Short mmCIF file of all heavy atoms in Angstrom, two decimals:
data_model
loop_
_atom_site.label_atom_id
_atom_site.label_comp_id
_atom_site.label_asym_id
_atom_site.label_seq_id
_atom_site.Cartn_x
_atom_site.Cartn_y
_atom_site.Cartn_z
N SER A 226 20.71 -18.04 -8.54
CA SER A 226 20.58 -19.05 -7.49
C SER A 226 19.17 -19.63 -7.51
O SER A 226 18.20 -18.91 -7.25
CB SER A 226 20.89 -18.46 -6.11
OG SER A 226 20.76 -19.44 -5.11
N LEU A 227 19.08 -20.93 -7.83
CA LEU A 227 17.81 -21.63 -7.88
C LEU A 227 17.83 -22.88 -7.01
O LEU A 227 16.99 -23.77 -7.14
CB LEU A 227 17.49 -22.04 -9.33
CG LEU A 227 17.49 -20.92 -10.38
CD1 LEU A 227 17.30 -21.49 -11.77
CD2 LEU A 227 16.41 -19.89 -10.07
N SER A 228 18.77 -22.96 -6.10
CA SER A 228 18.97 -24.18 -5.31
C SER A 228 17.82 -24.44 -4.35
O SER A 228 17.07 -23.54 -3.98
CB SER A 228 20.29 -24.07 -4.54
OG SER A 228 20.26 -22.96 -3.65
N THR A 229 17.70 -25.72 -3.97
CA THR A 229 16.73 -26.18 -2.98
C THR A 229 15.30 -25.78 -3.34
O THR A 229 14.62 -25.03 -2.63
CB THR A 229 17.10 -25.67 -1.56
OG1 THR A 229 18.50 -25.86 -1.33
CG2 THR A 229 16.34 -26.44 -0.51
N ASN A 230 14.88 -26.27 -4.50
CA ASN A 230 13.50 -26.19 -4.95
C ASN A 230 13.11 -27.59 -5.43
O ASN A 230 13.71 -28.58 -5.01
CB ASN A 230 13.36 -25.14 -6.05
CG ASN A 230 13.32 -23.72 -5.51
OD1 ASN A 230 12.35 -23.29 -4.91
ND2 ASN A 230 14.41 -22.97 -5.72
N LYS A 231 12.13 -27.67 -6.28
CA LYS A 231 11.72 -28.95 -6.86
C LYS A 231 11.76 -28.87 -8.38
O LYS A 231 10.89 -29.37 -9.08
CB LYS A 231 10.32 -29.33 -6.38
CG LYS A 231 10.24 -29.53 -4.87
CD LYS A 231 8.83 -29.92 -4.42
CE LYS A 231 8.77 -30.11 -2.91
NZ LYS A 231 7.40 -30.46 -2.45
N LEU A 232 12.81 -28.22 -8.88
CA LEU A 232 12.96 -28.01 -10.32
C LEU A 232 13.41 -29.29 -11.01
O LEU A 232 14.17 -30.09 -10.45
CB LEU A 232 13.95 -26.88 -10.57
CG LEU A 232 13.54 -25.51 -10.00
CD1 LEU A 232 14.69 -24.52 -10.14
CD2 LEU A 232 12.29 -24.99 -10.71
N LEU A 233 12.94 -29.46 -12.23
CA LEU A 233 13.26 -30.63 -13.03
C LEU A 233 14.21 -30.27 -14.16
O LEU A 233 14.34 -29.11 -14.54
CB LEU A 233 11.97 -31.23 -13.62
CG LEU A 233 10.86 -31.60 -12.63
CD1 LEU A 233 9.60 -31.98 -13.39
CD2 LEU A 233 11.31 -32.72 -11.72
N GLY A 234 14.87 -31.28 -14.71
CA GLY A 234 15.76 -31.08 -15.84
C GLY A 234 15.11 -31.51 -17.12
O GLY A 234 13.94 -31.88 -17.12
N PRO A 235 15.86 -31.45 -18.22
CA PRO A 235 17.25 -31.02 -18.30
C PRO A 235 17.39 -29.49 -18.27
O PRO A 235 16.41 -28.77 -18.41
CB PRO A 235 17.71 -31.57 -19.64
CG PRO A 235 16.47 -31.55 -20.48
CD PRO A 235 15.34 -31.89 -19.54
N LEU A 236 18.64 -29.04 -18.10
CA LEU A 236 18.89 -27.61 -18.12
C LEU A 236 18.74 -27.08 -19.55
O LEU A 236 19.14 -27.74 -20.51
CB LEU A 236 20.31 -27.31 -17.61
CG LEU A 236 20.55 -27.57 -16.13
CD1 LEU A 236 22.03 -27.35 -15.80
CD2 LEU A 236 19.69 -26.66 -15.28
N PRO A 237 18.20 -25.90 -19.71
CA PRO A 237 17.98 -25.35 -21.05
C PRO A 237 19.29 -24.85 -21.67
O PRO A 237 20.17 -24.34 -20.98
CB PRO A 237 17.01 -24.20 -20.81
CG PRO A 237 17.31 -23.75 -19.43
CD PRO A 237 17.66 -25.00 -18.66
N ILE A 238 19.37 -24.96 -22.98
CA ILE A 238 20.54 -24.49 -23.71
C ILE A 238 20.69 -22.98 -23.60
O ILE A 238 21.80 -22.43 -23.72
CB ILE A 238 20.45 -24.90 -25.20
CG1 ILE A 238 21.76 -24.64 -25.92
CG2 ILE A 238 19.28 -24.21 -25.89
CD1 ILE A 238 22.90 -25.50 -25.45
N GLY A 239 19.58 -22.28 -23.30
CA GLY A 239 19.62 -20.83 -23.20
C GLY A 239 20.56 -20.33 -22.12
O GLY A 239 21.07 -19.20 -22.22
N LEU A 240 20.82 -21.14 -21.11
CA LEU A 240 21.73 -20.71 -20.04
C LEU A 240 23.14 -20.47 -20.57
O LEU A 240 23.93 -19.79 -19.92
CB LEU A 240 21.76 -21.75 -18.92
CG LEU A 240 20.46 -21.95 -18.12
CD1 LEU A 240 20.69 -22.90 -16.95
CD2 LEU A 240 19.91 -20.62 -17.62
N CYS A 241 23.44 -21.01 -21.73
CA CYS A 241 24.76 -20.79 -22.32
C CYS A 241 24.98 -19.34 -22.70
O CYS A 241 26.12 -18.90 -22.91
CB CYS A 241 24.94 -21.68 -23.55
SG CYS A 241 25.04 -23.45 -23.19
N ASN A 242 23.89 -18.58 -22.80
CA ASN A 242 24.01 -17.16 -23.17
C ASN A 242 24.39 -16.28 -21.99
O ASN A 242 24.66 -15.09 -22.16
CB ASN A 242 22.68 -16.66 -23.75
CG ASN A 242 22.30 -17.36 -25.03
OD1 ASN A 242 23.18 -17.67 -25.85
ND2 ASN A 242 21.02 -17.62 -25.22
N LEU A 243 24.44 -16.85 -20.78
CA LEU A 243 24.74 -16.06 -19.59
C LEU A 243 26.25 -15.91 -19.43
O LEU A 243 26.87 -16.44 -18.52
CB LEU A 243 24.11 -16.72 -18.36
CG LEU A 243 22.59 -16.93 -18.43
CD1 LEU A 243 22.07 -17.57 -17.14
CD2 LEU A 243 21.86 -15.61 -18.70
N VAL A 244 26.83 -15.14 -20.33
CA VAL A 244 28.28 -15.06 -20.42
C VAL A 244 28.91 -14.27 -19.28
O VAL A 244 30.12 -14.35 -19.05
CB VAL A 244 28.70 -14.43 -21.77
CG1 VAL A 244 28.32 -15.36 -22.91
CG2 VAL A 244 28.04 -13.06 -21.96
N SER A 245 28.10 -13.49 -18.54
CA SER A 245 28.63 -12.71 -17.42
C SER A 245 28.49 -13.45 -16.09
O SER A 245 28.93 -12.95 -15.05
CB SER A 245 27.91 -11.37 -17.32
OG SER A 245 28.10 -10.59 -18.49
N LEU A 246 27.90 -14.64 -16.12
CA LEU A 246 27.58 -15.36 -14.91
C LEU A 246 28.83 -15.77 -14.14
O LEU A 246 29.77 -16.33 -14.69
CB LEU A 246 26.76 -16.62 -15.25
CG LEU A 246 25.90 -17.21 -14.14
CD1 LEU A 246 24.84 -16.20 -13.68
CD2 LEU A 246 25.23 -18.49 -14.61
N GLN A 247 28.82 -15.46 -12.84
CA GLN A 247 29.93 -15.83 -11.96
C GLN A 247 29.51 -16.87 -10.92
O GLN A 247 30.33 -17.66 -10.47
CB GLN A 247 30.47 -14.58 -11.24
CG GLN A 247 31.02 -13.52 -12.18
CD GLN A 247 31.44 -12.26 -11.44
OE1 GLN A 247 31.58 -12.24 -10.22
NE2 GLN A 247 31.63 -11.17 -12.18
N GLN A 248 28.23 -16.85 -10.54
CA GLN A 248 27.72 -17.82 -9.57
C GLN A 248 26.44 -18.45 -10.11
O GLN A 248 25.50 -17.75 -10.48
CB GLN A 248 27.41 -17.16 -8.23
CG GLN A 248 28.61 -16.60 -7.50
CD GLN A 248 28.23 -16.08 -6.12
OE1 GLN A 248 27.63 -16.78 -5.31
NE2 GLN A 248 28.57 -14.83 -5.85
N LEU A 249 26.41 -19.78 -10.14
CA LEU A 249 25.23 -20.54 -10.56
C LEU A 249 24.99 -21.63 -9.53
O LEU A 249 25.82 -22.52 -9.34
CB LEU A 249 25.44 -21.16 -11.95
CG LEU A 249 24.32 -22.08 -12.44
CD1 LEU A 249 22.99 -21.32 -12.56
CD2 LEU A 249 24.70 -22.71 -13.78
N LYS A 250 23.85 -21.56 -8.82
CA LYS A 250 23.54 -22.52 -7.77
C LYS A 250 22.27 -23.27 -8.13
O LYS A 250 21.19 -22.68 -8.24
CB LYS A 250 23.38 -21.81 -6.43
CG LYS A 250 24.63 -21.07 -5.97
CD LYS A 250 24.42 -20.34 -4.66
CE LYS A 250 25.67 -19.60 -4.22
NZ LYS A 250 25.48 -18.87 -2.93
N LEU A 251 22.41 -24.59 -8.32
CA LEU A 251 21.29 -25.43 -8.74
C LEU A 251 21.11 -26.65 -7.85
O LEU A 251 20.24 -27.49 -8.12
CB LEU A 251 21.50 -25.89 -10.19
CG LEU A 251 21.61 -24.80 -11.26
CD1 LEU A 251 22.08 -25.40 -12.57
CD2 LEU A 251 20.27 -24.09 -11.43
N GLN A 252 21.90 -26.79 -6.80
CA GLN A 252 21.89 -28.00 -5.99
C GLN A 252 20.54 -28.19 -5.29
O GLN A 252 19.77 -27.27 -5.11
CB GLN A 252 23.03 -27.97 -4.96
CG GLN A 252 22.91 -26.94 -3.87
CD GLN A 252 23.60 -25.63 -4.20
OE1 GLN A 252 23.76 -25.29 -5.38
NE2 GLN A 252 24.01 -24.89 -3.18
N ASN A 253 20.30 -29.43 -4.89
CA ASN A 253 19.08 -29.80 -4.16
C ASN A 253 17.81 -29.54 -4.97
O ASN A 253 16.84 -28.97 -4.49
CB ASN A 253 19.01 -29.08 -2.81
CG ASN A 253 20.17 -29.42 -1.89
OD1 ASN A 253 20.63 -30.56 -1.85
ND2 ASN A 253 20.66 -28.43 -1.15
N ASN A 254 17.85 -29.96 -6.23
CA ASN A 254 16.68 -29.99 -7.09
C ASN A 254 16.58 -31.39 -7.68
O ASN A 254 17.25 -32.32 -7.22
CB ASN A 254 16.79 -28.93 -8.19
CG ASN A 254 16.44 -27.54 -7.70
OD1 ASN A 254 15.29 -27.24 -7.41
ND2 ASN A 254 17.45 -26.67 -7.62
N MET A 255 15.74 -31.56 -8.65
CA MET A 255 15.61 -32.85 -9.33
C MET A 255 16.01 -32.71 -10.80
O MET A 255 15.42 -33.31 -11.69
CB MET A 255 14.17 -33.37 -9.20
CG MET A 255 13.80 -33.70 -7.77
SD MET A 255 12.10 -34.30 -7.58
CE MET A 255 11.21 -32.74 -7.67
N ILE A 256 17.01 -31.88 -11.02
CA ILE A 256 17.48 -31.62 -12.37
C ILE A 256 18.29 -32.81 -12.88
O ILE A 256 19.16 -33.33 -12.18
CB ILE A 256 18.33 -30.33 -12.39
CG1 ILE A 256 17.45 -29.12 -12.06
CG2 ILE A 256 19.01 -30.14 -13.74
CD1 ILE A 256 18.19 -27.83 -11.88
N GLY A 257 17.98 -33.25 -14.07
CA GLY A 257 18.69 -34.38 -14.66
C GLY A 257 18.94 -34.12 -16.13
O GLY A 257 18.83 -33.00 -16.61
N GLY A 258 19.30 -35.17 -16.83
CA GLY A 258 19.56 -35.04 -18.27
C GLY A 258 20.97 -34.55 -18.55
O GLY A 258 21.83 -34.52 -17.67
N THR A 259 21.16 -34.15 -19.79
CA THR A 259 22.49 -33.74 -20.25
C THR A 259 22.76 -32.28 -19.95
O THR A 259 21.89 -31.43 -20.15
CB THR A 259 22.62 -33.97 -21.78
OG1 THR A 259 22.31 -35.33 -22.07
CG2 THR A 259 24.02 -33.65 -22.26
N ILE A 260 23.95 -31.99 -19.46
CA ILE A 260 24.35 -30.60 -19.24
C ILE A 260 24.65 -29.95 -20.58
O ILE A 260 25.35 -30.53 -21.42
CB ILE A 260 25.61 -30.54 -18.33
CG1 ILE A 260 25.29 -31.14 -16.96
CG2 ILE A 260 26.08 -29.09 -18.19
CD1 ILE A 260 26.48 -31.21 -16.03
N PRO A 261 24.11 -28.78 -20.84
CA PRO A 261 24.37 -28.12 -22.14
C PRO A 261 25.85 -27.97 -22.43
O PRO A 261 26.64 -27.64 -21.53
CB PRO A 261 23.70 -26.75 -21.96
CG PRO A 261 22.65 -26.97 -20.93
CD PRO A 261 23.21 -27.99 -19.99
#
Side-chain angles (χ1 to χ4, degrees):
S226 180
L227 305 175
S228 60
T229 315
N230 281 287
K231 298 181 180 179
L232 299 172
L233 305 172
L236 292 175
I238 190 66
L240 294 186
C241 292
N242 296 323
L243 303 181
V244 294
S245 299
L246 202 61
Q247 299 175 15
Q248 295 185 53
L249 175 61
K250 299 179 181 180
L251 300 169
Q252 68 268 26
N253 299 322
N254 281 290
M255 294 179 282
I256 294 173
T259 305
I260 297 176

